[in-house]
């Protein structure tokens, strides 16, 4: 059971927009910065978003991140078949069991 | 371009110790801005942070694994290593090494935390 909660799957058609949610608590998302990762089949995760809403160099602006309270959201516009992947949110948990935590992952299917 | 590469046995017997090394190239492991971590992913499942180390040797571990984990660094070789003791089948996973940022933004009392460079991963199977 992951500390951060994501929907197991989402789907949308090419060209459309999709959002992926990540729900936590005050000890993690509520008081720390969120990052998002894309994991294409058979590859290592890749950083998509850091500091809630910043994109590393080379990540297209079709990808966006936001945070409100104890939840965060990844948005992807202009969906492409190449976006089919697993997406993970991550953050720091400041509770007594402090450490890095991830969501359980969301499988994006581009229909 | 920074690159990380995991190496070590792909098969470990139950109750033994899993040992992996991550070699960093294209940059120095002694950079003061970064930590170096291990993350694992059981087949078909999500990511789990195992622990991290700073070039000075300071470490912090996932509380659920802390009693079995040791992470060390060798700055002369630009490497850091993972040891996980008393393994069981539940420790079968792809193990990734990665560079990460961990910093506190004092003005808002919030922690920045993200992994920006990852190794390709190595599958470790625990089986007799």
């Amino acid at each position: 059971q992951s500390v951060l909660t994501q929907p197991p799957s989402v789907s949308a058609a090419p060209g459309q927009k999709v959002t992926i949610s990540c729900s936590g608590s005050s000890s993690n998302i509520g008081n720390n910065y969120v990052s998002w990762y894309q994991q294409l089949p058979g590859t290592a995760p890749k950083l998509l978003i850091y500091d809630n809403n910043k994109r590393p160099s080379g990540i297209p602006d079709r990808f966006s991140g936001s945070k409100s309270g104890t939840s965060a959201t990844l948005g992807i516009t202009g969906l492409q078949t190449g976006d089919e992947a697993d997406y993970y949110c991550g953050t720091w948990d400041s509770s007594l069991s402090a450490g890095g935590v991830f969501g359980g992952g969301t499988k994006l299917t581009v229909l | 371009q920074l690159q990380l590469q995991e190496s070590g046995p792909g098969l470990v017997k139950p109750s033994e110790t899993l040992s992996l090394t991550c070699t960093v190239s294209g940059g120095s492991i002694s950079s003061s801005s970064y930590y170096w971590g291990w993350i694992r992913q059981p087949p078909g499942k999500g990511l789990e942070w195992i622990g991290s180390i700073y070039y000075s040797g300071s470490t912090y571990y996932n509380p659920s694994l802390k009693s079995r984990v040791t992470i060390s660094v060798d700055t002369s070789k630009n490497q850091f290593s993972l040891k996980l003791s008393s393994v069981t089948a539940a420790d079968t996973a792809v193990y990734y090494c990665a560079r990460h940022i961990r910093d506190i933004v004092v003005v808002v009392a919030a922690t920045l935390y993200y992994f920006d460079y990852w190794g390709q991963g190595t599958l470790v199977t625990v089986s007799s």
Side-chain angles (χ1 to χ4, degrees), chain A residues 80-107:
Chain A
Q80 302 173 1
T81 55
D83 295 332
E84 275 208 354
D86 294 321
Y87 292 83
Y88 294 89
C89 57
T91 189
W92 180 258
D93 192 297
S94 306
S95 66
L96 289 177
S97 301
V101 292
F102 291 100
T106 298
K107 170 66 177 175

Side-chain angles (χ1 to χ4, degrees), chain A residues 31-80:
Chain A
N31 283 289
N32 295 307
Y33 291 84
V34 177
S35 54
W36 289 91
Y37 305 87
Q38 177 193 60
Q39 187 175 34
L40 296 169
T43 69
K46 173 184 175 182
L47 179 65
L48 275 184
I49 298 288
Y50 66 100
D51 293 3
N52 298 335
N53 55 19
K54 296 178 182 175
R55 285 176 286 105
S57 174
I59 300 300
D61 59 7
R62 299 189 299 108
F63 296 90
S64 63
S66 63
K67 189 184 96 166
S68 179
T70 59
S71 294
T73 301
L74 174 70
I76 311 173
T77 60
L79 275 173
Q80 302 173 1

Side-chain angles (χ1 to χ4, degrees), chain B:
Chain B
Q1 175 79 352
L2 191 76
Q3 293 186 319
L4 295 87
Q5 178 68 58
E6 306 88 352
S7 59
L11 182 63
V12 181
K13 290 182 168 55
S15 80
E16 296 190 343
T17 296
L18 178 160
S19 295
L20 295 174
T21 295
C22 182
T23 301
V24 179
S25 59
S28 174
I29 203 169
S30 299
S31 171
S32 61
S33 302
Y34 304 105
Y35 287 79
W36 306 90
W38 289 95
I39 304 100
R40 70 180 182 178
Q41 184 173 35
K45 296 188 178 181
L47 303 170
E48 180 181 35
W49 169 71
I50 298 170
S52 299
I53 192 164
Y54 195 56
Y55 77 95
S56 63
S58 173
T59 55
Y60 60 109
Y61 302 130
N62 185 323
S64 68
L65 298 169
K66 186 175 182 178
S67 63
R68 299 194 291 131
V69 173
T70 302
I71 297 177
S72 59
V73 64
D74 187 337
T75 54
S76 67
K77 295 182 178 179
N78 231 29
Q79 295 177 333
F80 62 107
S81 298
L82 168 70
K83 290 189 184 299
L84 180 65
S85 64
S86 305
V87 297
T88 69
D91 295 309
T92 294
V94 174
Y95 285 76
Y96 296 100
C97 60
R99 187 181 83 169
H100 76 89
I101 300 289
R102 180 190 159 207
D103 199 7
I104 296 175
V105 180
V106 176
V107 66
V108 292
T111 299
L112 290 171
Y113 183 80
Y114 58 90
F115 296 86
D116 59 352
Y117 285 92
W118 296 66
Q120 66 185 26
T122 186
L123 174 63
V124 179
T125 302
V126 178
S127 175
S128 55

Side-chain angles (χ1 to χ4, degrees), chain A residues 5-49:
Chain A
T5 301
Q6 297 181 235
S9 63
V10 296
S11 62
Q16 297 300 304
K17 173 183 177 179
V18 71
T19 60
I20 297 173
S21 61
C22 176
S23 178
S25 67
S26 59
S27 68
N28 43 66
I29 291 178
N31 283 289
N32 295 307
Y33 291 84
V34 177
S35 54
W36 289 91
Y37 305 87
Q38 177 193 60
Q39 187 175 34
L40 296 169
T43 69
K46 173 184 175 182
L47 179 65
L48 275 184
I49 298 288

